[in-house]
Amino acid sequence: MGIWLNGPIGLGAQTRITRSGCRTVLVMVPTLAAGTRLFDLVPLIEADHRIQLVFTVPHGTSGWHGLGDYLRDQRAFVVPWRQAVEHRFDLVLAASHRHLAEVRGPILLVPHGAGAMKSREYSRKAGGATVPSTGLERDLLTYRGRVLPSVLALTHDRELDELRNRCEEAVPAAIVAGDICWDRLVAGLPLRNAYRHALGVGDEELLVTISSTWSPDSVFGRLPGLYRKILDKAPESGARVAAVLHPQIWAAHGRRQVVGWLSDCIRRGLLLLPPEEGWRATVVASDWVVGDHGSTTTYAAGIGRPVSIAACPGDNIREGSLAALVRSFAPPFRPRRSLRRQFSDASLYRERLQMEVSAAISSRPGQAAGILRAAMYRLLALTVPTGEGPSAPFPLPEPIGG
């Protein structure tokens, strides 16, 4: 049966709490990637004395490694999934389509990466799929004829056009909010020197960040020896090397194993960033990003970092996607050439790449926090507090030690 947690929700809650009459908000964290995005939203409402947040890890018959530890490290109040589905909430925050039909309360759904539409033409989970999937399909957004999100947050106007074609009944729920992660990256640019200092990177050193999404056709999946090869070339180029891995890599293989695979590189100076936080500060601190079709590479291009592409899933990149846009301008990475020369080559495309990608990431640059905050308060039926919502810079990056 499992233990039900005594807390601010459920039968008898009024006998336990100190703050009464609060609206309750459920934050659904089915994956680490979803959790890291939702913690961009949480500060927009958590200081309000009228609101109580609780967190849960949704699951069916399977789950992902490390989620419980992640939420405990965040000092979150975590209720068991079985308890969460028995309660009706005033607002549910989600950054994944998983388990939305099982919760009760108005749902605000946001993307957990760059854009609400996928970079892949076909879903990884569909096996030999023959029908393209964008992430805005009817089967993801509805259940038994009901649109699941009360508010569907999109990042760009073009996504609204796509939604009309794929799930017209969800259009009334959609808002174009922009990208809160993107906005925070841009806001963090003035702290670049502080982030470099925290990483131990000197003013004259070249910081090369290797970015990998998950799946066998990612950088880490296809080119595990690339980290060692770049480290071999680093001294002659006056370079330091950092590694950013998608949270799903850590979840599927385990923290100890991932660190073990890269342990020799860490001993040689590789700056391996943990999956919870630090990747964004490192991208801001970087001089050059060597990546793939993942969101981190896209964000790096959008803030003006020269980018080279080391791996890409060939013909499975969706035409018109952010990943396709990056691939069309960024040069390929050549392991045998010098780092400085390839950095110079990538720098030639930097301005055009930044212009194209930044325009495609968000139709509401700098506005996401305000738009999403207003949407949350509307669903909560509360007045928005006066003044802007709280905004904090990224914490200083802390690489995993050797």
Side-chain angles (χ1 to χ4, degrees):
M1 295 287 290
I3 297 174
W4 283 45
L5 204 60
N6 289 328
I9 64 170
L11 291 174
Q14 293 303 318
T15 67
R16 298 187 290 266
I17 60 174
T18 299
R19 289 286 305 165
S20 61
C22 288
R23 301 286 203 275
T24 56
V25 178
L26 178 69
V27 185
M28 295 176 62
V29 186
T31 65
L32 186 52
T36 55
R37 181 53 51 92
L38 291 172
F39 273 104
D40 283 339
L41 272 64
V42 163
L44 302 178
I45 59 173
E46 69 178 342
D48 194 321
H49 289 203
R50 301 170 295 175
I51 295 172
Q52 166 75 57
L53 282 82
V54 299
F55 297 73
T56 194
V57 177
H59 60 82
T61 57
S62 64
W64 289 104
H65 166 75
L67 280 177
D69 293 339
Y70 168 64
L71 289 175
R72 279 189 290 273
D73 289 344
Q74 297 289 336
R75 304 296 190 266
F77 189 95
V78 184
V79 299
W81 175 239
R82 183 172 175 272
Q83 183 176 355
V85 297
E86 293 295 329
H87 186 80
R88 180 172 181 81
F89 294 89
D90 298 298
L91 173 62
V92 178
L93 299 181
S96 167
H97 299 99
R98 300 168 188 255
H99 303 285
L100 295 183
E102 298 171 62
V103 293
R104 291 186 281 181
I107 298 170
L108 171 63
L109 176 62
V110 300
H112 63 258
M117 297 194 295
K118 299 175 182 177
S119 293
R120 289 173 171 270
E121 185 78 9
Y122 303 103
S123 172
R124 295 183 183 95
K125 301 176 184 178
T130 57
V131 177
S133 173
T134 66
L136 297 177
E137 266 66 41
R138 180 173 286 107
D139 62 339
L140 295 174
L141 299 174
T142 66
Y143 178 72
R144 294 183 176 177
R146 172 173 63 95
V147 175
L148 292 168
S150 298
V151 171
L152 173 62
L154 307 176
T155 61
H156 203 279
D157 292 325
R158 71 176 185 279
E159 294 175 346
L160 189 58
D161 295 333
E162 188 70 30
L163 183 66
R164 289 191 181 97
N165 294 328
R166 296 190 174 259
C167 187
E168 187 175 10
E169 60 270 40
V171 170
I175 59 170
V176 179
D179 186 325
I180 192 169
C181 177
W182 161 253
D183 289 348
R184 293 192 68 196
L185 278 163
V186 172
L189 291 175
L191 295 174
R192 171 177 163 82
N193 289 337
Y195 294 146
R196 288 175 67 87
H197 183 265
L199 291 167
V201 178
D203 293 342
E204 302 303 318
E205 288 183 305
L206 177 73
L207 178 57
V208 184
T209 294
I210 307 171
S211 164
S212 178
T213 188
W214 65 292
S215 79
D217 48 23
S218 67
V219 165
F220 193 66
R222 184 178 291 180
L223 302 168
L226 182 65
Y227 302 85
R228 193 177 298 110
K229 290 179 181 179
I230 292 181
L231 282 168
D232 288 342
K233 293 179 175 292
E236 66 189 46
S237 301
R240 298 291 304 279
V241 185
V244 170
L245 305 178
H246 191 284
Q248 207 70 0
I249 297 175
W250 302 83
H253 295 285
R255 190 182 190 102
R256 184 180 182 91
Q257 183 62 78
V258 172
V259 173
W261 280 331
L262 292 171
S263 57
D264 61 330
C265 295
I266 294 172
R267 287 191 291 270
R268 294 178 56 193
L270 179 70
L271 303 167
L272 176 61
L273 279 304
E276 300 85 7
E277 188 56 91
W279 71 267
R280 294 183 287 195
T282 302
V283 167
V284 169
S286 298
D287 296 294
W288 176 32
V289 172
V290 177
D292 52 25
H293 55 287
S295 292
T296 300
T297 308
T298 298
Y299 283 130
I303 62 168
R305 299 296 168 259
V307 166
S308 296
I309 300 298
C312 204
D315 58 1
N316 197 17
I317 289 293
R318 184 177 58 80
E319 184 179 351
S321 68
L322 289 167
L325 181 62
V326 173
R327 187 175 64 173
S328 67
F329 288 99
F333 180 76
R334 311 288 188 187
R336 295 184 180 181
R337 297 181 66 190
S338 75
L339 295 183
R340 283 284 178 181
R341 183 171 179 180
Q342 292 205 73
F343 167 61
S344 297
D345 290 346
S347 298
L348 296 175
Y349 300 91
R350 181 188 66 81
E351 290 187 7
R352 177 70 185 276
L353 185 60
Q354 180 183 13
M355 180 180 67
E356 297 285 346
V357 173
S358 61
I361 283 178
S362 171
S363 291
R364 307 290 185 271
Q367 301 177 53
I371 294 172
L372 291 170
R373 189 176 185 229
M376 287 189 281
Y377 275 99
R378 174 166 60 83
L379 294 178
L380 287 166
L382 291 174
T383 57
V384 181
T386 57
E388 296 184 1
S391 178
F394 301 131
L396 296 176
E398 297 182 13
I400 295 172

